[in-house]
């Protein structure tokens, strides 16, 4: 079975641009979460989606948005990129979004803003 | 006070010894506890989950949870050089968004 897949793997953008990151969860998983990991830190929660509805949002500005599609895949959009948005963006899937399941992470998208 | 705290290390352990990694958390509503391993340049990989007080063993790994003291630990027996990585502790709450709250990670080095 395929794991969590993310695309693209790497991305270089200029300040002020917009970026869209994509994620496909493990087959049968209905919940997708997004995390940002800055070098030397643990991942920080951005969004959780379950059955196409936003279940939670972390402490990130409105420049960050996301959505989940009927096939449970998801996109993360970041507008007006700042240098500080440079990070590894991780997608994680979970069968139900519940607290009693572990989350499986994709390989991530490394975003560099110049 | 950080929600999840770990010693950032580096923690250096000789090959074949026991590596002990610790984590404390601040929210008593935390219900699920996870250890992730992250190799340099890679994404986190789930290695242990624990939900109730006590010990949980899986191969060379043992997770320990003490909710009264609000700490969770990971023991790695017979440490191998391939265990060298950053270990992330994460917790979730039963209420609200089921987000993982991570510590900053402990960098572990196993010396041959």
């Amino acid at each position: 079975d395929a794991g969590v897949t993310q695309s693209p793997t790497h991305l270089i953008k200029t300040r002020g641009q917009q970026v869209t990151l994509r994620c496909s969860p493990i087959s049968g998983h209905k919940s997708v979460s997004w995390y940002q990991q800055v070098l030397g830190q643990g991942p920080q929660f951005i969004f959780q989606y379950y059955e196409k509805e936003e279940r939670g949002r972390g402490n990130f500005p409105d420049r960050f948005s996301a959505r989940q599609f009927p096939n449970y895949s998801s996109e993360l959009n970041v507008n007006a990129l700042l240098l500080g948005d440079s990070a590894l963006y991780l997608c994680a899937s979970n069968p139900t979004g519940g607290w009693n399941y572990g989350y499986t992470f994709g390989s991530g998208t490394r975003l560099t803003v110049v | 006070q950080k929600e999840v705290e770990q010693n950032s290390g580096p923690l250096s352990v000789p090959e074949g010894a026991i590596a002990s990694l610790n984590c404390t958390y601040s929210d008593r509503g935390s219900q699920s506890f996870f250890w992730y391993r992250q190799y340099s340049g890679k994404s986190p990989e789930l290695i242990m989950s624990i939900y109730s007080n006590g010990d949980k063993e899986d191969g060379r790994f043992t997770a320990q949870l003490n909710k009264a003291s609000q700490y969770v630990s990971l023991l790695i027996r017979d440490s191998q050089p391939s265990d060298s990585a950053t270990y992330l502790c994460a917790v979730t709450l039963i209420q609200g968004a089921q987000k993982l709250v991570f510590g900053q990670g402990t960098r572990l080095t196993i010396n041959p």
Side-chain angles (χ1 to χ4, degrees):
Chain A
D1 277 346
V4 180
T5 57
Q6 292 187 243
S7 63
T9 307
H10 294 88
L11 208 49
I12 300 175
K13 289 287 189 178
T14 304
R15 277 179 297 175
Q17 286 189 314
Q18 175 264 342
V19 68
T20 298
L21 311 181
R22 295 177 175 82
C23 171
S24 292
I26 291 171
S27 178
H29 285 197
K30 298 181 179 180
S31 177
V32 169
S33 298
W34 288 94
Y35 289 80
Q36 179 196 66
Q37 187 176 25
V38 175
L39 196 63
Q41 300 295 319
Q44 296 291 315
F45 173 74
I46 309 176
F47 285 108
Q48 186 199 33
Y49 277 79
Y50 176 70
E51 292 279 17
K52 302 177 299 253
E53 301 223 343
E54 183 183 303
R55 276 268 191 92
R57 182 187 184 112
N59 188 24
F60 281 81
D62 291 344
R63 299 185 295 108
F64 288 76
S65 63
R67 55 180 175 168
Q68 186 177 33
F69 299 99
N71 66 353
Y72 303 112
S73 67
S74 178
E75 286 183 350
L76 174 71
N77 294 285
V78 186
N79 293 323
L81 285 166
L82 303 174
L83 295 179
D85 295 331
S86 296
L88 179 66
Y89 287 84
L90 297 161
C91 174
S93 81
N94 171 291
T96 66
W99 60 271
N100 55 344
Y101 288 97
Y103 285 79
T104 303
F105 283 88
S107 57
T109 295
R110 187 163 299 281
L111 172 65
T112 302
V113 182
V114 297
Chain B
Q1 181 186 11
K2 291 183 180 178
E3 293 177 279
V4 179
E5 295 204 52
Q6 298 180 252
N7 187 323
S8 61
L11 175 64
S12 186
V13 172
E15 184 176 356
I18 296 175
S20 178
L21 303 161
N22 299 310
C23 169
T24 59
Y25 59 94
S26 61
D27 195 321
R28 287 193 175 274
S30 301
Q31 290 292 327
S32 307
F33 306 86
F34 305 95
W35 284 99
Y36 284 83
R37 177 176 62 198
Q38 187 172 28
Y39 293 113
S40 180
K42 303 296 185 182
S43 63
E45 173 193 8
L46 179 63
I47 55 172
M48 288 292 287
S49 58
I50 187 166
Y51 307 106
S52 55
N53 281 327
D55 294 359
K56 179 182 177 182
E57 188 174 317
D58 184 1
R60 295 185 297 110
F61 299 98
T62 299
Q64 299 174 315
L65 174 61
N66 184 323
K67 289 187 177 181
S69 300
Q70 295 176 247
Y71 85 79
V72 58
S73 62
L74 178 71
L75 301 178
I76 306 175
R77 290 181 300 281
D78 188 23
S79 297
Q80 302 297 310
S82 59
D83 295 325
S84 297
T86 295
Y87 288 81
L88 296 160
C89 172
V91 306
T92 63
L93 303 176
I94 198 170
Q95 301 294 336
Q98 299 309 308
K99 63 178 183 179
L100 289 167
V101 180
F102 283 88
Q104 69 177 83
T106 298
R107 189 154 53 93
L108 174 66
T109 300
I110 306 300
N111 300 307

